[in-house]
Amino acid sequence: MSACEDLVRRLRGTVVPAVATPMDAAGAVDAGALRGYAERIAAEPVGGVAVWAHTGRGLYLSERDRRQVLAVWREAVGGPVVAGVGVPRAAGPVGLADAVDATVAMAVAAAEGGADAVMVYPLAQLDGDEDAAVELHERVAAVSGLPVVGFFLHGEAGGYPYPPRLVERLLALPSAVGIKLATLDRAMACQDAIGAARPSGRLVVTGEDRMFGPSLMWGADTALVGIAAARVPLTSAVLACWRAGDHEGFVRASARLDRFAAVTFLAPIEGYVQRMLWAAVWEGLIPEEAAHDPYGPRLPEGERRAVEECLEALAKEPVPDRA
């Protein structure tokens, strides 16, 4: 069995949190908070974790911080670690060749740090060039030696739509583990991408925090989501019920997760990172001083209270989370 096939087997049907990175207001990673957070998440019902992803502000971190983050999670988590790779935001505007080189360099660093796979951020520099997108994934896999996860990210968070034909081509690569779909509010695009991905037999990974339950009904079989950066059982319960054929439980669990998503994933969507950090503080996963997102928009204090009130209400309900 190849490394790619083994990873598909290990991850299918699991929740892989796109974990946050505990930082102070200046953007310095809090090493102690990071270790504590990693230990708590690793104890939850997860199939692995995704580091350097959008939720963890991976493209903003320094090389040193990325190495530290990966090392901590590699030590804490028994399951696979997927690392996001792309163009560091600090690099500023770059051309296509430099963007590809930067992505490949991050993938090599991920391999050196012990990652099991890389998730390739969509590059705006590709400008919809499907051949170049396929070549990017091929080069990342060839140079790093790691399996790859495609990343269909669209909307305010960046990226661009992957047409169904590109999804098919990416998943036909021998190095492809699957594709993560984060179409945000584009139900038709999500459905079309899932339809294109399913025949491949690779992972169809939902990253649809606001369409989580529906994306499973449309055919997604695995989850890599920022909403699981805190309160993991809310997410894992939905997937567990769906896979068990417990449709009544699935509806209840989906309704609970949707209530949480409604107060964490809303405009401005870039604010979701800070909202998830607030949730992590409420959950006791990280301390207050490490719950800063210096790269997102400033949010009104009322939004924090909405997140906390939602979590308080969910905690009081008699229906337990299902792992």
Side-chain angles (χ1 to χ4, degrees):
M1 180 183 296
S2 69
C4 183
E5 292 169 333
D6 181 60
L7 200 56
V8 169
R9 178 188 61 81
R10 295 172 66 190
L11 289 179
R12 195 183 304 277
T14 71
V15 171
V16 179
V19 291
T21 302
M23 290 183 278
D24 65 18
V29 175
D30 187 320
L34 175 63
R35 285 191 293 271
Y37 174 57
E39 291 169 359
R40 291 287 301 276
I41 293 293
E44 298 283 4
V46 300
V49 297
V51 301
W52 305 355
H54 201 87
T55 312
R57 294 304 192 196
L59 297 184
Y60 292 94
L61 300 178
S62 67
E63 291 184 22
R64 178 181 177 182
D65 283 343
R66 282 198 294 269
R67 287 196 298 268
Q68 178 186 32
V69 166
L70 177 54
V72 169
W73 285 102
R74 180 69 282 167
E75 181 180 355
V77 180
V81 176
V82 180
V85 297
V87 181
R89 293 289 187 255
V94 296
L96 176 57
D98 289 339
V100 171
D101 287 345
T103 301
V104 172
M106 277 188 71
V108 170
E112 293 172 346
D116 297 280
V118 290
M119 180 176 67
V120 183
Y121 281 87
L123 299 182
Q125 292 85 348
L126 294 173
D127 194 26
D129 186 333
E130 295 184 23
D131 291 338
V134 173
E135 291 170 4
L136 167 66
H137 288 73
E138 288 179 316
R139 184 175 170 199
V140 165
V143 177
S144 71
L146 292 177
V148 297
V149 178
F151 188 8
F152 179 168
L153 174 67
H154 195 35
E156 183 182 330
Y160 55 89
Y162 283 11
R165 176 57 185 162
L166 177 55
V167 172
E168 293 171 352
R169 292 181 65 187
L170 290 176
L171 294 182
L173 297 176
S175 58
V177 174
I179 188 163
K180 171 182 169 169
L181 307 174
T183 65
L184 301 181
D185 57 359
R186 294 163 175 80
M188 290 186 292
C190 182
Q191 290 172 325
D192 291 346
I194 289 174
R198 289 189 69 184
S200 72
R202 307 300 173 90
L203 298 178
V204 185
V205 184
T206 179
E208 305 290 3
D209 307 271
R210 287 296 296 264
M211 299 189 292
F212 189 81
S215 68
L216 297 179
M217 292 188 285
W218 297 333
D221 55 30
T222 305
L224 194 164
V225 282
I227 201 168
R231 206 76 175 99
V232 173
L234 278 175
T235 306
S236 61
V238 183
L239 184 55
C241 287
W242 178 253
R243 289 180 61 81
D246 178 4
H247 295 157
E248 183 177 342
F250 172 75
V251 170
R252 291 198 304 269
S254 289
R256 288 165 58 80
L257 182 62
D258 286 348
R259 286 161 56 191
F260 183 45
V263 296
T264 48
F265 285 80
L266 66 157
I269 195 64
E270 276 295 298
Y272 90 86
V273 175
Q274 181 60 71
R275 298 180 194 111
M276 292 306 302
L277 288 167
W278 288 335
V281 171
W282 184 92
E283 190 74 5
L285 299 176
I286 60 174
E288 181 70 36
E289 61 269 19
H292 296 276
D293 174 29
Y295 306 107
R298 184 178 298 274
L299 301 175
E301 186 62 24
E303 290 199 12
R304 178 169 191 167
R305 189 58 198 151
V307 171
E308 294 171 342
E309 288 176 350
C310 177
L311 289 167
E312 289 165 1
L314 290 169
K316 293 174 182 177
E317 292 181 357
V319 179
D321 294 327
R322 174 176 177 167

